[in-house]
Amino acid sequence: MIGLIAAALLQLPSLDVPQLPPITRDPQITYLDRNGAVLGIRGGRYQPTEDIAKLPPYVPAAFVAIEDRRFYEHQGFDLQGIARAVLTDLGQGRATQGASTITQQLARNLFLTNDRTLERKGTELIYAVELEQTYSKPQILGLYLSRVYFGSGAYGIEAAAHRYFDKPAVRLTIREAAMLAAIMKSPTDYDPAEQPDKSAERTALVLDAMVETGAITDAQRAAALAEKPHVFKTAPDAASQYFVDWVDAQVRAMGPPRADLVVETTLDAHDEATAQAAASDTVDRFAKADVQQAALVALDPQGRVRAMIGGVDYSKSGYNRAVDAHRQAGSAWKPFVYLTALERGFTPDSPVVDQPITIDGWSPRDFEPNYLGQITLQQALAQSVNTVAAGLADQVGRPNVANTAKRLGIFTPINLDPAMALGSSLVTPIEMAQAYDAFANGGDLVSAYGIERIRLPVALGGRVLWQHPAPSTPNVIGNPQLSELDQMLRTVITSGTGVNARIPGYDLAGKTGTASDFRDAWFCGFTGGLTTVVWMGRDDNAPMRGITGGSAPADAWRAFMRVALKRAPVTPIPFGPAAPPPVPSPVLMPPMPNNSAAPNIQGGPAI
């Protein structure tokens, strides 16, 4: 049999040790949340070589026991196993058997393809021998554990430990180590998340092998079999991948990385998980009303992104609706109208009239069929009265309203037709979040950002390569207008269209938004330390069934905020800067003419 192997090897060119190809690895970028938790990794497929001396001894032992129990004895290949495989292959006329040692598997992973030919097998043997002559057994095993595929996109044991158990490899239990070793036979068939029964059967075999090789005792095996590890059905960091994609594009715009990098971000992993649960659970509850998707952005007062949900399931769609989806804002746009009016002399108590109105042949209508007549400006915003907002924008000037929105951070084009007062312009959730953040932080302009610093890994010295500059937050809303608008937005939650967003014990303000024909629904709200915007709708832009900003989006907003706010000090909405010089008061808006016969061409409510 050894003669047959030798004959096969003689058909191949001689390879000396110096000809061993270099082991290369593309740089990786590791993204951390604000507390140092790993959010995701981008770039090269493989992480640095695993230092097995830092792992519990039973972790590498599990792989040796089931994959290559003579690993520490052979010099790269196992003659008995090869002889058995060659006999079978010759009998069938093709290569079908494995019998590869860990070193052979590593050689194939590093330098070769998975072609089942005798020539490839012979080359694999030569490389395996050279690997054994060049590297120590711990180095070979560390390389193997850092490169082997564990399914579900996880390459290497660190990625696998995080994918299935949400922990680093150093914290794996005996049972968890055996479960990962069981995957080696087939990442598809023994995936613990998708094939739990097959995984359990194979894991028992691994534990038996560990006992036979002396890696663990019978008592440890029994304890491991009794253990019930929590296996994550989907990757624990799946929700944050929308955010990671967003900041990764910014990092790569600085230039291709020439070494491994660590990016420290603003995201809070706890808030992110809360946001994902709030968005997904709410979409599920309202699925019968044709709600399909959601996006959420939460900012602190300086514009740091604390949570970003770009959709309900990243594995099904990586499209980031929080950043890239341009949707009609509906009545969530109205604070820009009202702020423009306040800055031109109106007050929350200014009298206005809810009655039919026509502007340039366009007649807005309210969600409720009845008109309220004379009310105050504050009541009009709290009840999201469309006729008043449209007339107010017409009086103060729609270009002025557009300028107000741009001043607060809306950077996409704004239309100037009469319907713009009701949010017919297309905006993204992150734009709305940074604009509303000015209402929440004392009137300061913010630019939403997610990267705090970029540095080298600790193993490479940890040197900081880039640091986010101190945020520039010029004041863009003065008083009394800011405090007046915030008070008006408080009434939206206490007695208006946003009552579903109420959370006892917190100073909250916000605005609902519902676009034409229920195609988009928003809730944009804030307290002193956190601004959160929620959007819900459908990717095909089809209407939902009766979903307003005060229903599903307000529910999701409340579900997120009531958890997130427990982790932060209770902070009231700040009053803002001292009052600016007085602005000349315009003539207040006169009662609107009754044009009830005019056609209603607005496509739907904007509340």
Side-chain angles (χ1 to χ4, degrees):
M1 181 53 57
I2 295 177
L4 289 172
I5 298 171
L9 296 181
L10 287 174
Q11 304 300 313
L12 302 172
S14 174
L15 295 175
D16 297 327
V17 171
Q19 293 179 318
L20 187 69
I23 298 175
T24 61
R25 186 178 68 84
D26 292 335
Q28 285 189 330
I29 305 175
T30 300
Y31 292 90
L32 307 179
D33 91 326
R34 63 186 296 213
N35 298 309
V38 175
L39 295 173
I41 297 174
R42 295 291 186 272
R45 176 177 291 177
Y46 306 111
Q47 296 188 31
T49 302
E50 191 72 34
D51 184 354
I52 65 170
K54 296 182 179 179
L55 297 175
Y58 53 76
V59 174
F63 292 84
V64 171
I66 198 65
E67 289 293 303
D68 183 8
R69 63 177 59 188
R70 296 184 64 247
F71 171 72
Y72 290 103
E73 301 169 18
H74 62 64
Q75 298 303 309
F77 60 91
D78 184 347
L79 277 178
Q80 295 177 2
I82 293 174
R84 182 176 64 252
V86 170
L87 276 178
T88 303
D89 292 347
L90 291 176
Q92 298 190 13
R94 59 189 177 90
T96 60
Q97 290 291 304
S100 295
T101 63
I102 282 176
T103 314
Q104 287 175 258
Q105 293 179 50
L106 177 61
R108 183 167 64 248
N109 186 296
L110 290 172
F111 311 122
L112 302 169
T113 68
N114 288 320
D115 293 342
R116 291 183 175 274
T117 65
L118 287 174
E119 181 178 356
R120 195 274 296 160
K121 193 72 174 178
T123 306
E124 176 187 296
L125 290 174
I126 294 173
Y127 282 149
V129 172
E130 294 188 358
L131 283 170
E132 292 276 353
Q133 294 174 350
T134 306
Y135 301 98
S136 68
K137 290 288 187 179
Q139 287 175 321
I140 290 171
L141 192 52
L143 272 168
Y144 170 80
L145 289 176
S146 69
R147 301 229 169 193
V148 71
Y149 184 55
F150 287 88
S152 295
Y155 288 86
I157 194 167
E158 288 296 336
H162 282 283
R163 162 61 188 87
Y164 295 111
F165 307 116
D166 195 23
K167 61 173 63 174
V170 71
R171 290 176 48 210
L172 290 170
T173 66
I174 292 176
R175 174 64 181 262
E176 291 165 345
M179 292 172 72
L180 294 183
I183 297 174
M184 296 300 94
K185 185 174 178 64
S186 171
T188 301
D189 293 339
Y190 299 101
D191 182 322
E194 299 296 331
Q195 302 289 344
D197 293 338
K198 288 186 176 181
S199 171
E201 292 175 4
R202 181 72 179 170
T203 297
L205 293 178
V206 175
L207 292 170
D208 290 343
M210 293 175 73
V211 172
E212 293 169 4
T213 56
I216 60 174
T217 66
D218 286 325
Q220 288 175 309
R221 174 187 177 278
L225 287 173
E227 184 184 340
K228 302 294 183 184
H230 175 65
V231 178
F232 287 79
K233 185 71 173 177
T234 59
D237 60 3
S240 63
Q241 298 316 297
Y242 292 107
F243 173 82
V244 173
D245 285 348
W246 180 58
V247 293
D248 185 63
Q250 298 169 37
V251 172
R252 294 185 183 280
M254 301 179 188
R258 294 187 294 272
D260 287 347
L261 298 175
V262 175
V263 177
E264 299 175 5
T265 76
T266 63
L267 201 77
D268 187 300
H270 294 285
D271 286 349
E272 183 78 344
T274 300
Q276 181 65 64
S280 299
D281 292 348
T282 306
V283 168
D284 287 344
R285 285 194 295 112
F286 288 88
K288 291 183 178 179
D290 294 331
V291 179
Q292 180 199 63
Q293 278 294 348
L296 182 151
V297 179
L299 305 180
D300 78 356
Q302 289 74 45
R304 300 181 185 94
V305 176
R306 294 307 192 198
M308 175 184 285
I309 301 300
V312 294
D313 192 337
Y314 180 84
S315 66
K316 293 181 179 178
S317 171
Y319 176 60
N320 191 342
R321 297 155 189 85
V323 173
D324 299 322
H326 292 77
R327 310 294 297 232
Q328 287 192 348
S331 288
W333 183 267
K334 287 177 182 175
F336 308 139
V337 176
Y338 283 79
L339 177 58
T340 305
L342 291 172
E343 291 176 338
R344 281 156 179 78
F346 286 83
T347 72
D349 294 326
S350 295
V352 290
V353 181
D354 174 25
Q355 62 183 357
I357 183 175
T358 297
I359 304 172
D360 296 339
W362 170 74
S363 299
R365 59 184 175 87
D366 290 321
F367 185 69
E368 299 295 339
N370 299 320
Y371 293 98
L372 300 177
Q374 183 165 307
I375 54 178
T376 66
L377 205 68
Q378 178 165 303
Q379 290 172 316
L381 182 58
Q383 300 303 321
S384 203
V385 178
N386 288 339
T387 59
V388 171
L392 195 63
D394 191 54
Q395 181 171 351
V396 301
R398 290 186 292 278
N400 292 326
V401 174
N403 288 335
T404 297
K406 292 175 183 177
R407 190 175 89 226
L408 301 185
I410 301 297
F411 48 80
T412 50
I414 300 171
N415 70 64
L416 296 180
D417 61 43
M420 74 90 78
L422 308 187
S424 61
S425 293
L426 303 180
V427 292
T428 64
I430 196 167
E431 285 179 278
M432 293 295 282
Q434 63 187 14
Y436 269 72
D437 215 18
F439 303 150
N441 66 11
D444 296 337
L445 174 68
V446 303
S447 179
Y449 72 96
I451 302 173
E452 291 285 13
R453 62 188 58 84
I454 303 172
R455 61 174 174 82
L456 294 174
V458 173
L460 298 179
R463 181 166 58 93
V464 175
L465 305 177
W466 183 88
Q467 178 99 23
H468 192 283
S472 174
T473 55
N475 186 260
V476 290
I477 311 175
N479 265 319
Q481 293 80 19
L482 175 63
S483 59
E484 291 173 341
L485 180 66
D486 283 346
Q487 181 56 38
M488 294 166 69
L489 292 173
R490 286 185 180 97
T491 64
V492 173
I493 292 179
T494 59
S495 59
T497 59
V499 292
N500 280 348
R502 287 181 296 187
I503 305 173
Y506 292 94
D507 182 17
L508 304 175
K511 185 67 186 76
T512 56
T514 312
S516 301
D517 298 330
F518 304 102
R519 297 176 190 274
D520 299 284
W522 302 72
F523 191 83
C524 308
F526 53 91
T527 186
L530 195 63
T531 297
T532 299
V533 166
V534 174
W535 165 87
M536 289 186 175
R538 297 178 58 86
D539 287 338
D540 59 8
N541 203 34
M544 299 174 287
R545 288 193 288 171
I547 296 299
T548 67
S551 59
D555 282 2
W557 187 90
R558 184 184 70 250
F560 168 71
M561 291 289 279
R562 68 185 177 191
V563 176
L565 292 178
K566 290 179 180 178
R567 304 180 59 246
V570 177
T571 305
I573 299 168
F575 181 79
V583 177
S585 300
V587 177
L588 296 184
M589 183 166 58
M592 304 175 196
N594 190 332
N595 290 309
S596 57
N600 284 332
I601 60 173
Q602 170 71 10
I607 64 172

